[in-house]
Amino acid sequence: ANVTVTDLEELQELLMVNIENNKHLVTGSVRAKVLKWGEDVTEFQPPPDYILMADCIYYEESLEPLLKTLKDLTGPDTCVLCCYEQRTMGKNPEIEKKYFELLQRDFELEKIPLDRHDEEYRSEDIHIMNIHRKQVVGPQ
């Protein structure tokens, strides 16, 4: 695969270290790029086949920019796999609820059952969602 790993500017060095430490496992290509949610994603086009997200739902102010970026990045055939740890403290439950309510405006969600998670890493509080853009029907 040809992979782009993304994070904020201040974490690019760490991404590069991880790429270097794991390059012996790569059979395609991998590159690190800055991606700030809510900003222009033109340089990431055309839409990728897959987007893998892990623990991206963590504070309320990030929800709208994250959702904008997902909408801008995905095409009709993009598969988004979102993994997150369900947190029960503080505002986390309401932030998670709001995220999935907003996400469902433009995306179809399918929860991956626990018995389909990797046996070694599965946990009751770890969730994986398969997310696709809703299909637009008729004139726009």
Side-chain angles (χ1 to χ4, degrees), residues 107-119:
F107 294 89
E108 300 285 344
L109 313 176
E110 174 197 3
K111 183 172 179 160
I112 306 300
L114 193 61
D115 65 359
R116 289 184 47 206
H117 294 204
D118 183 280
E119 286 183 29

Side-chain angles (χ1 to χ4, degrees), residues 31-70:
R31 64 183 177 154
K33 293 190 78 147
V34 174
L35 176 61
K36 190 167 182 193
W37 297 340
E39 295 188 358
D40 183 56
V41 298
T42 304
E43 65 183 281
F44 294 94
Q45 297 300 324
D49 295 327
Y50 293 93
I51 296 174
L52 307 179
M53 299 172 49
D55 290 325
C56 291
I57 310 165
Y58 44 85
Y59 66 100
E60 195 166 5
E61 297 77 20
S62 71
L63 297 183
E64 292 286 351
L66 172 58
L67 291 164
K68 178 187 183 329
T69 297
L70 274 178

Side-chain angles (χ1 to χ4, degrees), residues 120-131:
E120 186 174 345
Y121 298 105
R122 75 175 57 149
S123 172
E124 293 287 340
D125 61 344
I126 302 293
H127 303 281
I128 302 174
M129 303 293 289
N130 185 349
I131 302 168

